[in-house]
C-alpha cells in the first residue's frame, strides 16, 4: 500500500526525532573514584549505588591469611564505561561483571573495573571479586592513636573498621553514604566461632572448618560490618520486650568483667526503644573479645564489639549508636558528632534513668572541669577535621549541645524530637542541617544561634 504525502512526511519527522534522541543520549563514562567526602575524598565510589554485599571469607589464624569472594549487587546511577571499588593491599585474582570476566587495574587502594559491556543507567548489575592475602590493620592519629580494622588476636581476629578500614578485608564502596544489606559467610577452623551482623542464618561444619552465615537485611554502612573470629561462650535469648539477643564473650574475659553484659544489653536495648523509638534491627547483642591492644569499642551494627566492658555506661553508649549512627548514619564524616555526641548524651540519660546523676548535672560537671583556655574548647564539633574527628570534644561538647537544646526547648519537645529524628531518617543518612530543621519544626523556636555557638564556634560558651 502506498503512503500518502502527509504520512511520508510524518514518518520522516519521526525518524529524524528518533535520530536526534539517539545522538543526544549521553555516552558512557567512568564512575568517580570517590564521593568527595571532606575528610576521605577517595572513599566510596561514584556512578552506582550498592544494594547488597555477599561476603564469603575464609580465615586461617595460623597464617593470618584471608581468602575472600565478594559479590556486590548495585544499581548504576549513570551510564558507566568503568567503575571503581575500594580495596586495600589484598591481591585480586579475578573480577566478573554480570557473570563475565572483566578487565581491571589497580592504583593504590582503588580498583578500576572495565566490564565487557557498558552498564546502563538505572540497571542493576553484579560484580564478583576474588581476592586474598594478609589483611593489615590501619594505624595513625584518627582512632585514639590505636590500630583499627582487621586486628589479630591470640585465637582469631577482632574486626572494628570505623572510619575507613572496611576495605582492608573486603572490596566495597567504603563510605557511610552508600549503605546496603549484607550476607556474610565466615569460614574458620573448627573450635572457633565467627560472629557478624544481623541474625545467624545457618552454621555447619565442612571438612575441618565451621561456616557461619550471618544476614543483615537492613541497610548498613560498610564501617559497621564485622567478622570477628575466636573462641566464644555464646548466650542467646530475648530481651524482656521480645527483641532477639546474641552475646558472645571470650572465655578469657568471663570472670574479668564486672558487668553482666547479657543482662545489661537486654535492659538498655529495651529502655532505648522507649526513649528513641522502636529498636531498628532484628537482633541486639554484643561481642566481647580479649583485645587489649584496641583500647576501644565500636558500635558494629546489631552487635557492638568490645575490647573490654568496664561499665554499664559503655554498653549504654554503644547501644545508643544503634539508633544514632547505625540506623541514622551521617551523610559525610564531618557530621560525626551526630554519632558520638548523641551516644555520649545517652550515657548521661542512662545515668539519669538509674538515679545516679541528672543529665544537667553531667553537663555542669563537664563544663566546670574544663577551664576556658583548655584545648578542649578549640575543637569545632560540627566540623572537627579528619585527624581529630574522635576528639573528646566531639563526644562531650556534642552531648553538651544536646543538653543546651533540651533546656532551651523543654523536655516535652526534646523527647518528641529524638524518636522523630530516628523515625524520619530510619535506615538512611542525615546531616546536622537536617537535625536543626527538625528541632526548629518540633519546638517552634529559632535555634540557629544555639547550634552556631555550641557546634561551630571555638571557645568556651558563656552559660
Amino acid at each position: 500500500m502506498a503512503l500518502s504525502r502527509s504520512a511520508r512526511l510524518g514518518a520522516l519527522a519521526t525518524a529524524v526525532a528518533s535520530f536526534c534522541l539517539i545522538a543526544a543520549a549521553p555516552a558512557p563514562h567512568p564512575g568517580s573514584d570517590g564521593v568527595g567526602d571532606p575528610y576521605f575524598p577517595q572513599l566510596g565510589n561514584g556512578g552506582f549505588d550498592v544494594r547488597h554485599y555477599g561476603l564469603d571469607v575464609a580465615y586461617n589464624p595460623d597464617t593470618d591469611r584471608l581468602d575472600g569472594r565478594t559479590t556486590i549487587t548495585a544499581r548504576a546511577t549513570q551510564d558507566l564505561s568503568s567503575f571503581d571499588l575500594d580495596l586495600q593491599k589484598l591481591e585480586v585474582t579475578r573480577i566478573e561483571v554480570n557473570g563475565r570476566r572483566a578487565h581491571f587495574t589497580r592504583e593504590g587502594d582503588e580498583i578500576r573495573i572495565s566490564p565487557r559491556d557498558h552498564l546502563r543507567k538505572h540497571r542493576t548489575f553484579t560484580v564478583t571479586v576474588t581476592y586474598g592475602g594478609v589483611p593489615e590493620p590501619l594505624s595513625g592519629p584518627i582512632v585514639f592513636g590505636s590500630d583499627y580494622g582487621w586486628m589479630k588476636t591470640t585465637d582469631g581476629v577482632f574486626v572494628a573498621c570505623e572510619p575507613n578500614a572496611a576495605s582492608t578485608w573486603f572490596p566495597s564502596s567504603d563510605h557511610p553514604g552508600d549503605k546496603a544489606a549484607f550476607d556474610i559467610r565466615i569460614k574458620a577452623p573448627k573450635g572457633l566461632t565467627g560472629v557478624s551482623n544481623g541474625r545467624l542464618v545457618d552454621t555447619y561444619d565442612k571438612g575441618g572448618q565451621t561456616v557461619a552465615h550471618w544476614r543483615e537485611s537492613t541497610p548498613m554502612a560498610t564501617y559497621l560490618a564485622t567478622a570477628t573470629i575466636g573462641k566464644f561462650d555464646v548466650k542467646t535469648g530475648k530481651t524482656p520486650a521480645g527483641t532477639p539477643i546474641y552475646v558472645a564473650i571470650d572465655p578469657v574475659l568471663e570472670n574479668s568483667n564486672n558487668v553482666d553484659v547479657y543482662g545489661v544489653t537486654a535492659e538498655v536495648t529495651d529502655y532505648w526503644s522507649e526513649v528513641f523509638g522502636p529498636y531498628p534491627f532484628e537482633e541486639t547483642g554484643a561481642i566481647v573479645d580479649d583485645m587489649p591492644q584496641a583500647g576501644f569499642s565500636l558500635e558494629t551494627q546489631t552487635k557492638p564489639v568490645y575490647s573490654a566492658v568496664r561499665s554499664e555506661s559503655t554498653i549504654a553508649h554503644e547501644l545508643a549508636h544503634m539508633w544514632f549512627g547505625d540506623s541514622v548514619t551521617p551523610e559525610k564524616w564531618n557530621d560525626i558528632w551526630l554519632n558520638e555526641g548523641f551516644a555520649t548524651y545517652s550515657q548521661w540519660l542512662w545515668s539519669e534513668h538509674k538515679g545516679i546523676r541528672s543529665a544537667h548535672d553531667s553537663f555542669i560537671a563537664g563544663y566546670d572541669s574544663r577551664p576556658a583556655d583548655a584545648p578542649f574548647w578549640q575543637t569545632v564539633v560540627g566540623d572537627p577535621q579528619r585527624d581529630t574527628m574522635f576528639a573528646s570534644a566531639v563526644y562531650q561538647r556534642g552531648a553538651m549541645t544536646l543538653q543546651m537544646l533540651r533546656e532551651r526547648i523543654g523536655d516535652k519537645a526534646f523527647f518528641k524530637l529524638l524518636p522523630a529524628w530516628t523515625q524520619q531518617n530510619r535506615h538512611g543518612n542525615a546531616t546536622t542541617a537536617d537535625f536543626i530543621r527538625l528541632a526548629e519544626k518540633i519546638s517552634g523556636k529559632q535555634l540557629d544561634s544555639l547550634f552556631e555557638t555550641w557546634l561551630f564556634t571555638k571557645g568556651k560558651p558563656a552559660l
Side-chain angles (χ1 to χ4, degrees):
M1 184 190 305
L3 293 175
S4 67
R5 182 174 181 274
S6 60
R8 290 197 301 273
L9 290 173
L12 179 60
T14 300
V16 170
S18 298
F19 174 80
C20 290
L21 286 173
I22 292 171
H29 58 276
S32 63
D33 62 358
V35 297
D37 187 276
Y39 295 173
F40 304 94
Q42 285 190 293
L43 278 192
N45 298 283
F48 62 93
D49 174 30
V50 178
R51 300 302 179 86
H52 181 267
Y53 288 94
L55 307 184
D56 288 273
V57 293
Y59 179 65
N60 184 340
D62 292 335
T63 62
D64 204 25
R65 181 176 175 85
L66 172 74
D67 288 291
R69 189 171 186 267
T70 291
T71 298
I72 297 170
T73 303
R75 181 175 179 268
T77 57
Q78 66 179 59
D79 289 335
L80 285 171
S81 59
S82 64
F83 60 94
D84 280 28
L85 290 175
D86 302 314
L87 183 66
Q88 303 184 42
K89 299 184 179 179
L90 299 178
E91 180 185 1
V92 176
T93 55
R94 184 183 180 95
I95 295 180
E96 297 174 0
V97 177
N98 292 333
R100 304 179 68 190
R101 194 157 189 167
H103 176 74
F104 66 92
T105 58
R106 296 287 300 262
E107 185 175 342
D109 297 337
E110 295 289 325
I111 308 173
R112 172 56 57 94
I113 301 166
S114 300
R116 294 189 184 185
D117 300 315
H118 294 159
L119 302 173
R120 297 301 179 190
K121 185 177 181 179
H122 303 314
R123 296 290 181 87
T124 297
F125 65 95
T126 62
V127 54
T128 300
V129 183
T130 304
Y131 61 99
V134 177
E136 296 181 16
L138 302 184
S139 61
I142 298 176
V143 184
F144 318 117
S146 170
D147 286 353
Y148 61 103
W150 186 274
M151 293 174 282
K152 187 173 175 59
T153 64
T154 56
D155 59 3
V157 64
F158 180 88
V159 184
C161 297
E162 188 181 24
N164 61 328
S167 51
T168 62
W169 64 282
F170 68 95
S172 60
S173 180
D174 192 10
H175 188 270
D178 195 355
K179 299 167 74 170
F182 279 74
D183 277 272
I184 302 176
R185 291 174 176 84
I186 304 168
K187 185 185 293 184
K190 278 186 180 180
L192 300 183
T193 301
V195 189
S196 189
N197 313 89
R199 61 184 177 86
L200 184 61
V201 176
D202 191 18
T203 183
Y204 58 91
D205 292 334
K206 186 176 182 180
Q209 297 179 309
T210 298
V211 180
H213 176 193
W214 293 87
R215 175 172 294 157
E216 178 49 270
S217 56
T218 53
M220 179 168 72
T222 50
Y223 79 90
L224 296 169
T226 191
T228 293
I229 300 167
K231 295 177 181 178
F232 292 105
D233 293 330
V234 175
K235 183 177 181 181
T236 64
K238 291 187 176 181
T239 71
T243 299
I245 181 172
Y246 181 108
V247 172
I249 300 178
D250 189 325
V252 171
L253 299 174
E254 194 69 50
N255 298 318
S256 63
N257 289 316
N258 297 321
V259 181
D260 175 8
V261 177
Y262 183 95
V264 174
T265 296
E267 182 184 3
V268 171
T269 298
D270 286 350
Y271 183 64
W272 288 158
S273 298
E274 296 175 9
V275 178
F276 304 145
Y279 184 69
F281 307 115
E282 291 183 271
E283 186 168 271
T284 188
I287 306 168
V288 186
D289 204 358
D290 182 24
M291 185 56 183
Q293 300 94 318
F296 64 90
S297 302
L298 179 66
E299 61 273 16
T300 49
Q301 193 156 304
T302 71
K303 294 175 191 66
V305 290
Y306 302 93
S307 57
V309 178
R310 298 178 179 87
S311 68
E312 284 189 15
S313 187
T314 300
I315 297 175
H317 178 106
E318 300 305 337
L319 286 177
H321 276 305
M322 298 304 107
W323 287 261
F324 306 108
D326 293 15
S327 178
V328 184
T329 306
E331 195 171 286
K332 298 286 179 67
W333 280 115
N334 53 305
D335 278 328
I336 186 63
W337 88 277
L338 291 173
N339 289 12
E340 302 304 346
F342 279 67
T344 302
Y345 189 72
S346 298
Q347 293 177 267
W348 297 0
L349 288 179
W350 183 252
S351 179
E352 187 170 275
H353 168 65
K354 301 294 281 188
I356 299 169
R357 183 163 68 175
S358 70
H360 172 83
D361 287 346
S362 294
F363 167 86
I364 292 298
Y367 181 89
D368 287 347
S369 68
R370 297 175 173 94
D373 60 354
F376 174 90
W377 299 108
Q378 297 306 305
T379 298
V380 178
V381 176
D383 189 8
Q385 304 306 305
R386 169 181 164 147
D387 287 354
T388 49
M389 60 188 289
F390 297 110
S392 63
V394 175
Y395 293 70
Q396 297 293 325
R397 188 167 173 173
M400 292 178 186
T401 302
L402 292 172
Q403 180 60 24
M404 291 301 295
L405 174 64
R406 177 180 173 182
E407 297 186 12
R408 174 77 170 84
I409 68 176
D411 276 12
K412 183 177 180 180
F414 184 78
F415 287 106
K416 181 180 178 182
L417 170 63
L418 296 183
W421 174 247
T422 63
Q423 180 59 37
Q424 176 176 292
N425 301 288
R426 187 177 175 90
H427 303 315
N429 296 87
T431 67
T432 297
D434 294 330
F435 182 70
I436 295 172
R437 279 193 295 270
L438 185 62
E440 290 183 334
K441 179 180 178 181
I442 287 176
S443 69
K445 298 180 184 294
Q446 201 282 328
L447 301 169
D448 283 351
S449 60
L450 184 152
F451 287 104
E452 181 64 29
T453 297
W454 284 91
L455 293 180
F456 297 104
T457 305
K458 292 182 179 181
K460 185 173 184 177
L463 294 184

